[in-house]
Amino acid sequence: GSRSPKAPVRSRDVGIVLATLAKALVARDKYRGSEIRKLAGSEVRYNSDLYLDAIARIQASQGIKTLVPQGRKTIPIWLASFLCFKLDLVGGEYITSSHGISVKTATKDLNSQGSQYLPEESLEFVNKIREIFEITEKQGSYEIKIAAKDNSLIDETVMENINDGIDLYAEYLKSGVGENLDSVKGMKNQLFVDAVGGCAYRTLSRVLEKLEISNKYLWNNIEEDPFFHSIGKYNTDPKGNKVFYDYSVDATVISKKQNGEKFFPVIESMHYDEKLKFLPTGTIVLITDPDHDRLTVCQIEAVGNIPNLDELGISYIHLGNERILTVYTANQAFLMLMDYRVKQLKHQGKFKNHPRFMIKTTASALSWDEWASANDIKVVNVPVGFKEIANIMKKVELQLRENPDNDVIVEDVFGNEINLGIQPRMIFGGEESGGMIMGSEDLIESLSGRKAIAMREKSATEAIIVASCLAGKLEQENKTLSEYLEEIFDENNIIAKFDVREDISYYNESEPDIDKLKKAKSEGEKQRTKNDLFYLSLAIAVRENKISLDDVKNILKDTFKNLNFENLTDIKFVGDGTYLKFTDKYVEIRPSGTDAKTKAYSGGENLDSISEFSRTLGNYSGERTSLHKELISDEFYNASKEIAMKYYLNFVEKGADSTIFKIPQYNY
């Protein structure tokens, strides 16, 4: 294939081409003599069609059959993941950058399970890329073959024959969260769905039709737009400088105005004062993202409810005409969804049929752990990222497969052994950033008979179905979501009602000058790493018995004189961040693995306290104090990241399913 001589070759293009080639070569080596099938799909970002074309043609040149959606149109990430598992594919390539800013593009690599690759799997591809560079260096060039655009190995017919997998997915929903949709079918009010970026509409609307509830939804932003309908785009940055600034399309992002007042920049750019003007009070608003895997839940309420919302730590924006829009964090929204799901199963008499468990990330709400404990549901805490949630699922499934009559026992990232009981079922898997999944009662089967307790990627469609059922129930009872949340807090004696997340970005991602951008990002990455190492070295030093918890308290007291560390009970490395456990709260400081950003999470019983802790610890420069240097040597400080990685890999690999995927005989 050739490209126009005028078109510049960007490093991103080269990166995607090389990564695709490396994965194709590894697959070819691994499955010699077998028919290799992979899936490729994308959402609505710029140049997605170009990347989809490149991926399919490179794979075809290596003899890999690539399934693409009919007309090469968009599909959500969860559908790509679902089909990798359901159709027993070797894997998939999905073009997205999650809810990153619109100019960002990357690929999510999916394995045969439909989950993202774990570190040791990715290492095979990295080594293959290294090999390609070595050959290039030795021989002066490396030829990359690209098949013709109309190569017969690029296949739209399979996806066309199965209606893009919509029918299979509707069946899956009916076996789980969508088995009883009476409360949705009986609703008088409609639900308002904002398909930010537009990718959600093409698939979700068809799923809702299959489930015969499509008349219960109103839509916004159904046109596919790589600029994401200007959502989150401003002409000033948070400091008030006149520049183009993109807050991304994450509806839960909170920023500060110049006067210190907090606001939701993404939601404010969605013009809901106009869009929701004629909808009745009580309408539930469901906001999804460009690859349609995350969900934000909101509701139109009356201004008079504000005192109660303030007491519960529920955020809101003013819509005018004595109305507000409550905006729930995923921590709050998902607590309601998991509670509703349990009540639904109890009502059906099914809850007692299996021991129940959930998988959550350490950065998610403490209230989830409290609620689970009150409902006799075991909790497995993992590092941030859905691949980590999927990894635990696979460990559980291995034990179900090999010892179906025994207790299933797994270890969480804190190092606790957790007995999930005999034949357990997952009630919820999710994280505070808006992604969730729920298992079904019966194990889910692929066409060749592989079994799973739940799907491997978060799905906003699954979340929307549960949220819709809850909306119907609350409409019948004439209750708001905030009243329901308060009920859950009361029923389960939840103490840690509040949660906050502080996002610290060390540079402006929208900087148009590429040299300035590179320099700012590089400087930002140094700041991020310095902040991370300050805390990480403490956690690793405690784990290696180099210092005591009292030493940690003294270092922190010496560094942050305005904060109280007396009731700190533990400090742990949790796979990708440092977790500080107190008697009344937790704080987790986590560096972004892909960008010059730090995230500081906190949950507990006092909103002011957790806000101050996450803000102060998250924004710290990472400068080592003299006491820090005295108690932790430079050598240990510099080695702590490497030691931490060993602990992380041990956690990932312990009890992991190392079964090699066998390609079945495809009969479709």
Side-chain angles (χ1 to χ4, degrees), residues 254-303:
I254 293 177
S255 190
K256 275 189 180 164
K257 294 183 176 171
Q258 285 308 100
N259 61 6
E261 182 195 331
K262 282 186 175 179
F263 79 116
F264 286 98
V266 175
I267 292 182
E268 289 215 0
S269 68
M270 292 164 105
H271 309 298
Y272 279 161
D273 47 349
E274 281 302 313
K275 299 254 173 76
L276 305 176
K277 197 185 263 181
F278 302 109
L279 295 181
T281 302
T283 299
I284 287 177
V285 174
L286 303 167
I287 307 168
T288 178
D289 67 340
D291 60 350
H292 189 41
D293 57 358
R294 300 172 198 242
L295 183 68
T296 301
V297 178
C298 309
Q299 187 172 29
I300 303 172
E301 288 199 35
V303 163

Side-chain angles (χ1 to χ4, degrees), residues 448-627:
S448 75
R450 292 188 295 161
K451 290 185 170 71
I453 50 170
M455 283 297 94
R456 312 310 195 195
E457 270 292 334
K458 48 194 177 280
S459 163
T461 287
E462 192 161 325
I464 282 169
I465 297 302
V466 189
S468 303
C469 292
L470 172 60
K473 179 180 179 281
L474 294 181
E475 189 189 89
Q476 287 164 16
E477 296 174 4
N478 198 20
K479 260 184 215 155
T480 60
L481 286 168
S482 55
E483 286 168 331
Y484 185 56
L485 185 62
E486 190 171 10
E487 242 173 56
I488 295 170
F489 286 160
D490 293 344
E491 279 171 15
N492 301 283
N493 299 316
I494 285 170
I495 296 161
K497 293 175 184 169
F498 305 106
D499 56 84
V500 292
R501 185 182 84 204
E502 188 85 11
D503 294 305
I504 300 106
S505 184
Y506 297 106
Y507 75 117
N508 174 13
E509 292 178 80
S510 308
E511 169 58 60
D513 182 323
I514 193 70
D515 294 324
K516 269 191 193 170
L517 181 72
K518 275 184 188 165
K519 189 168 186 280
K521 186 176 181 185
S522 171
E523 287 303 312
E525 282 167 351
K526 285 179 198 157
Q527 281 177 270
R528 171 205 66 191
T529 302
K530 207 169 163 189
N531 171 282
D532 173 38
L533 281 178
F534 181 84
Y535 305 107
L536 179 70
S537 56
L538 298 179
I540 297 297
V542 167
R543 188 154 181 181
E544 298 268 296
N545 296 316
K546 300 278 185 198
I547 60 172
S548 68
L549 186 65
D550 281 339
D551 291 331
V552 172
K553 286 184 188 178
N554 290 334
I555 290 169
L556 294 172
K557 278 189 252 181
D558 175 52
T559 313
F560 307 105
K561 295 189 167 53
N562 60 325
L563 298 177
N564 182 359
F565 292 92
E566 285 307 323
N567 66 339
L568 179 72
T569 59
D570 209 349
I571 181 168
K572 280 197 168 166
F573 165 65
V574 285
D576 57 355
T578 305
Y579 189 96
L580 292 92
K581 188 180 179 186
F582 297 80
T583 54
D584 60 345
K585 63 181 162 288
Y586 85 91
V587 183
E588 180 173 340
I589 309 296
R590 179 179 157 262
S592 163
T594 54
D595 213 340
K597 289 178 179 177
T598 292
K599 289 181 193 259
Y601 311 84
S602 191
E605 57 184 284
N606 183 300
L607 186 56
D608 291 340
S609 166
I610 63 170
S611 300
E612 194 180 359
F613 267 86
S614 53
R615 187 171 55 249
T616 308
L617 270 60
N619 283 287
Y620 183 56
S621 67
E623 206 54 55
R624 295 175 71 200
T625 57
S626 52
L627 186 58

